[in-house]
Structure formats: C-alpha cells, structure tokens
Amino acid sequence: MTDRDPLLMIPGPVELSPAVLRAQATPPPSHTSAELIAAFGRCLRAMRAIWGAPDGALPVILAGSGTLAMEAAVWNCAAPGRRALVVDTGFFSDRMARMLSRRGVSVDRVSATPGCAVPAAQVAAALDGHDLVAVTHVDTSTGVRADVQGIAAAARAHGALVVVDGVCATGAEPLHMARDGVDVVLTASQKALGAPPGLALAVFSPRALEAHAALSAPPPLGLDLASWRPIMEAYEAGRPSYFGTPATSLVLALDDALAEILALDEGGRVGVEAAWARHARVGEAMRAAWRDLGLELVPASEDIAANTLSAIRYPDGVGPELVGRIAARGVVVAGGLHPAMKDRYFRVGHMGWVSGRPGLLERAVDAVRAALAG
Ligand SMILES: *Cc1c(COP(=O)(O)O)cnc(C)c1O
C-alpha cells in the first residue's frame, strides 16, 4: 500500500495509486512488444480524450520531464524572428520566456504581481502582432490559476498560436483544447496525471502542426515532431516503430494512471470532467482547512486559486523551518519557489490519486496543524 511514511504532498512527484505502482514494477517490456504497443496506443487515445484534442491533433509522449515538453513546444511551433507574448505569472512562465528567447523569438511579457493572475483583457490589450501566446495554466510557484479560456480567446482573435503549460493542471483543471481554441497543451507525467516522473506529454493542434511544417530550419532531430510523428502514429495504429527507445515501464504506469482518470464516475460526471470536479471540491476543502488554521494563501482571491496545490503564507514568526517540522510529522511538503517571495510561503500538492483519498488529505492538514502548534 502507499499509505507510506512520509506521505509525499508536494506539487509533483505525487503519491501513486496501487495499480500505477504495480504497473511500473514489472520487468520493462520491449518497445516493439505487443504489450507495449497496446499500452502506448491506449495512452495516446486517452490523451485525446483528457485534452479534448481537436480532430487532426497529434499527441506525443517523450521520455523526459515537463521542461522537455516545453522545449518541444518551443522548438516545433516557434520560429526565430517571430514574436511571442508570455503571460508571466511566476517561475515557469519565466522559464518559457527564456526558452523562446533562446529560440531567437522576440519575447514580450505581460506580468502579474506574485499571487495575482493576468486578466484576459490585459493580455488582449498587450497583443500587437504577436505570433504566439504562452500561458501557464497553474503557476506552481504561486498556486495561481490563469484564465486560459479568456486568454486563448483573446490570442485567437489576434491570430496567435496558443501554447499552454499544463504541467500542474492537465487532468485536474478544466481545459478542452478543441472547445477552448488552444494549440498546444503540454504536461509531465508526475503531476496531475498521477504517474511517476519521466514522461513529457503534449498534444499539438492542426494549427500547431502547420506552424511546424512552415519552419524554414528544422528543430534538433531528437525534438523534431517530424522524427516522432511516425512513431506516435504507428503506436496508435497498433504497429511497432522506432526512433528512440521509449521509457517503456513508465508508459505502462501512465496507461494505468490515464485509465483511472477516464474511469472516474462521480457526481453525475465521468472521466476527466469528474476529475476536474473532484479537484475543485478538494481544492476548496483544503483552502478552507488552511483558513481554519488561521493561515493566509498566496493567491489573491478564491477564484484564481489553483485546485491542484495550495500556496500558503507562513504566519508571523514562522519561516521555512516549518517545512522540516511538517516532515517530522510524516508529511513532505514543498517550500516556496517564486524568487520574489520564496522564503515567505510553502506549498502543499493535492492532485492526482490523493484527491480521492480524504484520509491522506486529512493527514496532511493534521501534520501542518501539529507543526504549527509545536
Ligand atoms: C513542474 C512544472 C514544470 C517543469 O516540469 P519538470 O517535469 O519539473 O521539468 C513546468 N511548468 C509547470 C507549471 C510545472 O509545474
């Protein structure tokens, strides 16, 4: 069982379900085995459902972390000399801006004070001939959720490609690529999807694939969609193929993790919509628990607070040593990450499998309460 001590409650990696744990513990299958081909194909089809992928979209699974998925989006969809607008809410949007700059893209930012979101109207007002808009769905450094739907609509109205970093959101916060008009949604296996770390996932819309086809110089071979597209298409069609060896054990674990999301059926909702509703309920309950302890949150208001993690200010007279005191009570939480305020708050992840385990969530709250008291 995974009711281990200490309980891992950081914003990724996360605790895994027993089935996911078992899946990754089997001997690694060959990348051309029937078992792996079937699992890989199911993962790609599950991604289409969970992402709400438009017709003609390309789901991709690479061995790597979320940062690699960001790099793949940048190299395949942005060309040197083009212009990008980055909705800058913290640590990971800053990373995205730096990646785009290195790609030779001219980057403008529309920035939020830490703990605030950037209203879609402010993004619309800043748009001025930009080819691409990048937004972090949940800013893991502040616990703030962006209005991706509003920002995507504004970007679309300007003809810009919309790239969403969904690393701390996809599978838990509402976003539907086709309905919301988003071109790339990328994530990593170890956050809201509830799988072990090591896989970079992204879905590219037909418009994103057109941007890739229009590149005058190709991306590095190992990142190029032209290298990986035939592989993904082969796996989805049930055929073996090879470009680079996939992380086969992790794909088996991902297969179970995504199947668990699609199998959810609660409160009149099924699949990813049930996962969204569950995370909304858990996020609200966790914020209420922190407030009951007299704690204040980093997000400036409830409507922009992410449901996948809580970013909590240290109370007066308490500092980063609290994280160690919580760990001494058997629960691992994370310190601050936003460079402007990292010593003033801590973070508790509550995404994935634990979102359906009230006892574990309570254990996390109890550990924080005890650490504050002692
Ligand atoms: C964790 C995270 C990343 C980076 O993912 P890695 O797997 O650590 O490389 C990027 N963006 C966001 C929003 C994240 O939460």
Side-chain angles (χ1 to χ4, degrees):
M1 256 323 275
T2 48
D3 291 343
R4 66 170 169 182
D5 194 15
L7 177 67
L8 187 60
M9 296 292 284
I10 63 174
V14 298
E15 291 288 348
L16 306 179
S17 81
V20 173
L21 277 177
R22 277 195 303 273
Q24 67 163 350
T26 57
S30 153
H31 56 290
T32 58
S33 67
E35 178 194 15
L36 192 272
I37 293 168
F40 211 123
R42 277 193 302 271
C43 286
L44 295 168
R45 283 188 292 277
M47 285 174 70
R48 291 187 189 277
I50 292 169
W51 269 244
D55 289 345
L58 175 69
V60 176
I61 301 170
L62 303 176
S65 81
T67 303
L68 185 91
M70 295 168 73
E71 206 82 272
V74 165
W75 276 90
N76 285 290
C77 299
R82 291 309 184 98
R83 295 183 59 214
L85 183 66
V86 173
V87 181
D88 181 6
T89 43
F91 187 87
F92 290 108
S93 23
D94 178 66
R95 175 172 293 181
M96 178 61 89
R98 286 163 55 214
M99 284 178 174
L100 285 160
S101 292
R102 284 209 184 178
R103 178 76 169 116
V105 174
S106 154
V107 177
D108 294 311
R109 299 183 189 220
V110 49
S111 302
T113 6
C116 294
V118 181
Q122 200 179 326
V123 176
L127 276 161
D128 170 27
H130 294 95
D131 305 289
L132 183 152
V133 171
V135 54
T136 309
H137 194 172
V138 165
D139 187 296
T140 322
S141 67
T142 58
V144 166
R145 181 185 51 240
D147 171 15
V148 269
Q149 282 79 7
I151 290 168
R156 276 280 177 140
H158 282 74
L161 214 61
V162 186
V163 175
V164 174
D165 172 351
V167 179
C168 206
T170 304
E173 297 278 9
L175 179 63
H176 187 282
M177 278 182 81
R179 279 203 298 270
D180 298 329
V182 172
D183 296 296
V184 182
V185 178
L186 61 95
T187 190
S189 47
Q190 80 276 17
K191 302 220 182 162
L193 296 178
L199 295 175
L201 300 90
V203 175
F204 295 85
S205 76
R207 284 200 337 147
L209 296 173
E210 278 166 29
H212 169 263
L215 292 175
S216 51
L221 198 65
L223 275 181
D224 194 348
L225 286 183
S227 306
W228 290 107
R229 185 175 190 158
I231 311 308
M232 300 301 141
E233 288 174 349
Y235 278 133
E236 215 171 343
R239 286 184 278 108
S241 193
Y242 172 74
F243 174 72
T245 307
T248 57
S249 300
L250 295 178
V251 170
L252 297 186
L254 180 72
D255 182 25
D256 276 290
L258 299 184
E260 283 175 8
I261 293 175
L262 291 177
L264 289 178
D265 182 351
E266 52 187 54
R269 289 160 206 250
V270 293
V272 73
E273 302 216 351
W276 297 343
R278 176 192 274 192
H279 282 85
R281 200 178 65 235
V282 165
E284 203 182 316
M286 295 302 276
R287 290 190 293 279
W290 310 132
R291 285 196 203 94
D292 282 349
L293 296 180
L295 297 169
E296 277 176 33
L297 299 169
V298 173
S301 62
E302 177 76 14
D303 59 313
I304 60 165
N307 292 317
T308 47
L309 80 155
S310 297
I312 308 160
R313 293 179 192 273
Y314 295 123
D316 287 345
V318 175
E321 75 284 353
L322 185 69
V323 170
R325 299 215 309 257
I326 298 169
R329 270 90 183 166
V331 176
V332 178
V333 301
L337 184 62
H338 195 296
M341 57 182 302
K342 87 210 251 348
D343 290 335
R344 303 213 294 271
Y345 71 106
F346 66 106
R347 298 172 301 147
V348 180
H350 32 78
M351 63 190 116
W353 179 69
V354 294
S355 69
R357 297 289 305 257
L360 297 183
L361 298 169
E362 259 168 54
R363 225 176 108 187
V365 175
D366 289 346
V368 172
R369 181 188 298 111
L372 284 168

